[in-house]
Amino acid sequence: MRVLLDTIPFDSPLRDWQGGGHWPAQWIRHPEALGVDPLVAAFRLRVTITEPRTVRLHVSADERYELYLDGVAVGRGPERGDVNNWFFETYDIPLAVGEHTVVAHTWWIGKMAAYAQMSHRPGFIVAAEGEAESTFNTGHAPWETVELGGYTFTHAGQAWGTGANLNMRGDGMKWGFESGDCDGWIAPVDIQQGRNRKNDNEAAPGWRLKPAVLPPMLEKRVHVGTVRHIDFLDASAIKPAGDDKPNAMMPPAERLAAAQQVKESDIIDRIDTADIVVDPALNLSGETSAWNRLLAGTGSVTIPAHTTLRAIVDLGNYYAAYPEITLSGGAGGAVRVEWAESLYIVGKHEKGNRNDVDGKRFFCGGVGDTFKHDGQDSRRYSTLWWQAGRYVQVIVVTGAEALTIDGFTLRETHYPYDVSSRFEASDSRIDAVTPIAIRAMEMCSHETYMDCPYYEQLMYVGDTRLEVLTTYAMTGDDRLPRKALSLFDWSRDTTGLTTSRYPCHTRQTIPPFSLWWIAMVHDYAFWRNDLDFVRTLMPGVRTVVDAYVGFLNSDGLVQGPKGWNFMDWVPSWGGGTPPDGQDGVSGVLNWHFVLALDLAAELERMMGEPELADRCDRYANSVAAKSMEVFFDVERGLLADDVAHTRWSEHSQCLALLSHRLPRDKRAVIADGLCTATDLEHTTIYFTHYLFEAYRMIRRPDLLFKRLELWFALDEGGFKTTFESPEPTRSDCHAWGAHPLFHYYATILGIRPQEPGFKELSIDPQLGPLTSASGTYPHPAGPVTVDVRRDGEKLTGSITLPEGVVGVLHLGKAIRVLQPGVQKF
């Protein structure tokens, strides 16, 4: 019933609303919404339908909503944006003759909301089309509202950016509100008229509404997981009230005495297993089969009275999901569902093999939700936002009655990718990396891209550029890349720079990431065919260039811009900032600017702006010449990271090579140094993408495969997704590490756009140690299929291009023209 308005129908009232800027509906709120923070509330509308009809409703809320029709979920939203670009969803609601109830479950978490949540104030709005306006529109129709008790919130702990965890009390909830079947409904308060971005000069501060641009997120009910360990928890797992120091620091007698002072009803809030070793000798193996039936959706589990136990569940893969648990009996009992990416080695903040559980400890740092049961049967509890990880720890505390868990289900969620690409090669290790990379992309793709689903759930430019390139290699759907490009464009401040992450209600600036946004625009211009959209982004590209021009010192070099000049998680670089990158003159930062200027110049020429292109060229040539003068070491044939020539990295060499601005007589020298020097700081997982790009340029796929060893070891190490950095890594799921999937197609098979719009392509296979590779790439015009086989120095194979696409095939020094259809070589 959800409708995605790719284009607004000609006869839609939305055209009038867009033109005039005013909606025929009011934002409304619960009367207590400004005095309660957080606030969970529902809105109800009862209508009588006298003849069958389908009603189109446009719906939004601040912060979030879930929409129900006659107790059945219809959709959720709004899609994440910012206040000046506040999204609404559109639903076509079929209504039979009779009575119907529309309910919206809304919540406002305020200061405890996710960092990515940029809100204005609590509010809800519905606008119908046509004759249904007076029947459904908020501010006109007889909507009612009720505050929903039973919800309290706790800080997210180590998952600091993800928003508050949930603590639900069954005895305080308005059960049945989804159908409108609860008491306490009152009239809402009007806030202001709904508006879009037109007539801003007349509009009060607040939301500027625009249609959602993404399809609904996947929401799939799954029964997954295997119990790896069950044991009873004793006083060692209970923290004394008001004391958060680890229990291991307390003498046993003191710990026991303190635990005995904790009320049974409060135990669930004080349990912390961070120091409890998973001891296989204590495993309640006789309980395992019942728990596994519960997880499979074929059974239930009953926990006796006055019991505290935990079950550690291995989901078998990494999931982002809404946990859903159904409880019966056991008044005063409680269940806590905690999430972890992996268990940790005892005595270390390291994880080891991700498949291992025994002898390790379940440390979640406070990531989890608590459900306190009221004793009624078949109560279904769930969360307002999803959690993520591979392992779930289910902690159960019962009171004077036994508690039954009737069901435990996950509603898996992520962006609904339709993966249409395919890659196969003679090295079977590649087959193991592909599903890991795809899973990382799924877990880090929702209403925005994310750096990680477990810790921050924030869209950073540096991560997103690689995620977008990988998206292009997975699917022809480019709606999420387009949204990412727009969001970062909207994030720019008066300096002209984008923020490092957006949407985000706490501002952070990483100046180099603004340059990577220029690269994202350039990528879209080549890998997709929509230069009109690129044109809308060019003012932003120019302001970023101008901001960096302002960072040039009297010598014509970039002096460390204000902000966090992160480039890569190199262990010897403090905070990921290259030598002299914070306040001084860094070779890495200067070559990065040269590369960005090169890309900006190409963009300007696409836009028919030769003068602006010449300006970018002039700055690029000047900064490159100065950088060669200051950073090139004649004796070593390498570019230093610092003016003193004491620090060296692969990063400087990569960026200089990719910039195309090196003097011709120095390219081979620097390329050779990149490949042979043994004291260069290595790129880590993220920046290795740019190393792979440089290896492709200098035709060294053999070295690319050597560096892929890190990815080839993921499966053996128990990883289900690509990680953030070399061990010991913080995050097990960072989609910037999925970029080898892009290189399978763009580097190994060599499929690249030759011209803007991808109407002409280049195919330049670089198999390295492979004897064969084949794949299908999701070109915007249709699939491009490449099959290459090598026998000694001889390459044979076939290529299929879609209608309207031409290209060239590189075979050593020979070039063959490619036409639509099948051709063999």
Side-chain angles (χ1 to χ4, degrees):
M1 291 189 287
R2 165 84 189 280
V3 179
L4 187 62
L5 298 177
D6 293 322
T7 59
I8 300 173
F10 181 79
D11 58 350
S12 170
L14 265 184
R15 285 191 176 271
D16 296 332
W17 304 350
Q18 296 283 64
H22 302 286
W23 279 37
Q26 295 282 327
W27 283 89
I28 61 175
R29 62 172 172 83
H30 188 280
E32 302 298 323
L34 299 184
V36 179
D37 186 3
L39 176 75
V40 181
F43 294 86
R44 178 181 73 178
L45 177 67
R46 288 175 167 165
V47 296
T48 300
I49 302 300
T50 58
E51 59 182 35
R53 62 194 300 192
T54 295
V55 176
R56 174 163 287 188
L57 301 181
H58 307 290
V59 184
S60 193
D62 191 349
E63 169 181 339
R64 306 282 300 184
Y65 73 84
E66 296 172 334
L67 190 67
Y68 295 87
L69 173 65
D70 300 328
V72 177
V74 174
R76 64 171 74 240
E79 185 181 309
R80 241 173 209 168
D82 60 28
V83 175
N84 285 319
N85 300 276
W86 195 269
F87 292 104
F88 64 87
E89 283 72 38
T90 299
Y91 302 91
D92 282 348
I93 309 292
L95 297 172
V97 172
E99 303 293 326
H100 296 280
T101 303
V102 180
V103 172
H105 180 199
T106 70
W107 57 93
W108 162 273
I109 305 181
K111 295 178 181 178
M112 298 179 72
Y115 276 37
Q117 184 64 43
M118 302 185 74
S119 289
H120 175 53
R121 61 193 296 192
F124 173 64
I125 190 169
V126 173
E129 293 194 2
E131 297 178 357
E133 285 185 5
S134 60
T135 304
F136 288 91
N137 286 14
T138 49
H140 302 279
W143 283 87
E144 301 170 284
T145 186
V146 63
E147 183 177 352
L148 300 178
Y151 293 88
T152 57
F153 298 89
T154 59
H155 288 285
Q158 69 173 354
W160 52 266
T162 62
N165 293 320
L166 186 60
N167 190 323
M168 296 178 67
R169 292 194 64 94
D171 59 4
M173 298 187 67
K174 297 274 188 181
W175 294 103
F177 76 86
E178 299 93 338
S179 301
D181 297 334
C182 66
D183 57 12
W185 296 92
I186 59 176
V189 174
D190 290 355
I191 303 175
Q192 64 185 49
Q193 187 174 19
R195 296 180 174 90
N196 56 39
R197 289 188 62 85
K198 296 290 184 181
N199 293 339
D200 278 357
N201 60 317
E202 300 177 10
W207 310 276
R208 301 292 184 270
L209 290 158
K210 64 188 307 178
V213 297
L214 302 180
M217 297 300 103
L218 172 79
E219 195 159 329
K220 177 183 177 183
R221 194 178 300 273
V222 295
H223 292 281
V224 295
T226 303
V227 171
R228 299 286 298 275
H229 183 86
I230 306 173
D231 63 6
F232 294 113
L233 296 176
D234 58 20
S236 64
I238 303 173
K239 283 186 177 182
D243 189 346
D244 290 328
K245 66 182 178 180
N247 287 351
M249 298 174 61
M250 302 175 65
E254 180 183 338
R255 184 168 63 232
L256 178 61
Q260 290 172 341
Q261 299 302 311
V262 177
K263 295 179 181 179
E264 191 172 57
S265 60
D266 295 334
I267 287 176
I268 194 72
D269 298 318
R270 302 302 304 169
I271 287 180
D272 183 356
T273 63
D275 301 312
I276 309 299
V277 178
V278 177
D279 185 350
L282 300 178
N283 183 35
L284 303 174
S285 56
E287 304 295 322
T288 301
S289 59
W291 276 85
N292 284 336
R293 287 194 296 272
L294 171 70
L295 297 173
T298 59
S300 61
V301 172
T302 298
I303 296 89
H306 303 299
T307 299
T308 301
L309 63 72
R310 56 128 174 221
I312 298 176
V313 178
D314 182 351
L315 299 177
N317 205 341
Y318 201 110
Y319 282 88
Y322 299 89
E324 185 175 277
I325 191 162
T326 305
L327 304 177
S328 292
V335 177
R336 179 165 176 79
V337 181
E338 298 183 330
W339 293 75
E341 296 186 312
S342 172
L343 276 69
Y344 284 77
I345 298 171
V346 175
K348 298 180 180 180
H349 201 67
E350 299 178 15
K351 304 172 188 176
N353 191 296
R354 272 47 174 186
N355 293 326
D356 295 340
V357 170
D358 291 344
K360 298 172 77 174
R361 58 192 181 92
F362 193 102
F363 172 70
C364 68
V367 181
D369 304 286
T370 302
F371 310 104
K372 297 180 178 180
H373 190 43
D374 63 357
Q376 299 300 307
D377 289 344
S378 302
R379 293 293 205 207
R380 183 177 295 175
Y381 298 84
S382 188
T383 57
L384 302 177
W385 190 248
W386 48 266
Q387 299 278 14
R390 173 181 171 179
Y391 288 93
V392 168
Q393 181 170 256
V394 182
I395 299 173
V396 185
V397 178
T398 59
E401 303 175 13
L403 174 66
T404 297
I405 304 178
D406 297 312
F408 184 87
T409 307
L410 298 182
R411 284 180 287 131
E412 180 184 359
T413 185
H414 56 75
Y415 187 85
Y417 282 120
D418 179 15
V419 179
S420 57
S421 60
R422 174 195 60 83
F423 184 84
E424 297 175 353
S426 55
D427 189 336
S428 62
R429 297 176 299 174
I430 283 177
D431 296 335
V433 175
T434 300
I436 292 174
I438 291 176
R439 192 59 174 173
M441 285 294 298
E442 290 175 337
M443 296 298 95
C444 294
S445 302
H446 296 265
E447 292 168 5
T448 66
Y449 289 104
M450 294 178 178
D451 61 333
C452 51
Y454 188 81
Y455 288 98
E456 300 177 43
Q457 298 180 10
L458 288 168
M459 183 167 69
Y460 288 84
V461 182
D463 305 60
T464 304
R465 195 229 171 170
L466 305 193
E467 291 168 333
V468 167
L469 286 172
T470 306
T471 298
Y472 296 156
M474 291 169 53
T475 176
D477 181 357
D478 58 21
R479 288 173 288 188
L480 194 55
R482 286 171 59 91
K483 183 181 179 184
L485 282 162
S486 296
L487 281 166
F488 289 130
D489 192 26
W490 301 338
S491 79
R492 289 179 296 106
D493 63 11
T494 55
T495 68
L497 296 179
T498 66
T499 59
S500 65
R501 57 196 189 196
Y502 203 78
C504 184
H505 63 239
T506 59
R507 186 172 188 85
Q508 182 192 70
T509 302
I510 300 179
F513 277 14
S514 294
L515 298 183
W516 289 135
W517 179 72
I518 293 177
M520 284 179 62
V521 177
H522 185 273
D523 295 336
Y524 188 88
F526 272 83
W527 291 90
R528 288 296 181 263
N529 185 22
D530 189 358
L531 291 185
D532 287 341
F533 176 59
V534 174
R535 193 176 304 279
T536 68
L537 302 172
M538 289 307 296
V541 169
R542 292 164 189 146
T543 60
V544 171
V545 169
D546 284 346
Y548 257 79
V549 168
F551 301 144
L552 296 176
N553 63 18
S554 59
D555 294 324
L557 290 171
V558 174
Q559 189 91 21
K562 292 181 179 179
W564 178 23
N565 290 312
F566 172 87
M567 290 297 288
D568 191 15
W569 286 124
V570 176
S572 67
W573 292 0
T577 301
D580 293 338
Q582 201 55 47
D583 300 304
V585 177
S586 163
V588 178
L589 296 186
N590 274 277
W591 285 113
H592 188 197
F593 184 35
V594 174
L595 171 58
L597 286 166
D598 188 60
L599 301 178
E602 287 195 41
L603 285 168
E604 295 291 7
R605 289 192 175 89
M606 292 179 213
M607 297 298 107
E609 297 289 353
E611 296 90 352
L612 294 177
D614 290 345
R615 177 178 184 259
C616 290
D617 284 334
R618 187 170 69 253
Y619 277 117
N621 289 330
S622 174
V623 177
K626 290 287 186 180
S627 294
M628 284 299 299
E629 178 184 329
V630 172
F631 299 110
F632 184 68
D633 190 287
V634 176
E635 292 184 7
R636 298 208 59 189
L638 286 169
L639 292 161
D641 292 344
D642 60 343
V643 175
H645 291 206
T646 61
R647 308 285 294 277
W648 313 83
S649 71
E650 292 176 331
H651 305 69
S652 286
Q653 325 311 315
C654 290
L655 293 170
L657 287 165
L658 295 173
S659 73
H660 300 286
R661 302 285 172 165
L662 285 174
R664 186 177 300 275
D665 61 334
K666 298 297 189 298
R667 295 175 193 169
V669 174
I670 290 173
D672 182 66
L674 171 64
C675 299
T676 60
T678 59
D679 61 342
L680 300 181
E681 294 285 4
H682 278 208
T683 61
T684 70
I685 293 166
Y686 157 59
F687 212 90
T688 297
H689 165 74
Y690 300 101
L691 178 67
F692 287 173
E693 290 286 82
Y695 282 160
R696 169 189 168 271
M697 174 181 287
I698 64 177
R699 310 192 70 80
R700 291 300 304 267
D702 56 318
L703 297 180
L704 182 150
F705 272 85
K706 286 183 179 179
R707 294 296 279 270
L708 278 175
E709 295 286 346
L710 185 65
W711 280 265
F712 293 153
L714 288 174
D715 185 51
E716 184 179 345
F719 286 92
K720 302 299 181 181
T721 51
T722 56
F723 50 10
E724 180 179 12
S725 58
E727 295 278 49
T729 185
R730 175 192 67 148
S731 168
D732 281 5
C733 186
H734 242 67
W736 68 13
H739 63 76
L741 198 61
F742 165 79
H743 288 283
Y744 289 173
Y745 302 92
T747 300
I748 296 174
L749 290 180
I751 304 169
R752 301 254 174 169
Q754 183 88 348
E755 298 290 339
F758 216 167
K759 292 182 179 179
E760 297 183 23
L761 54 76
S762 167
I763 297 178
D764 184 5
Q766 296 190 33
L767 299 190
L770 298 177
T771 57
S772 66
S774 65
T776 300
Y777 180 87
H779 188 283
V784 171
T785 301
V786 178
D787 186 347
V788 184
R789 301 183 181 278
R790 187 182 67 198
D791 182 6
E793 296 300 317
K794 182 180 180 182
L795 289 180
T796 61
S798 64
I799 293 171
T800 304
L801 301 186
E803 192 65 33
V805 176
V806 297
V808 293
L809 170 65
H810 297 264
L811 294 171
K813 295 182 179 179
I815 294 179
R816 176 175 173 175
V817 175
L818 300 172
Q819 300 294 337
V822 180
Q823 43 243 292
K824 296 184 178 181
F825 60 91

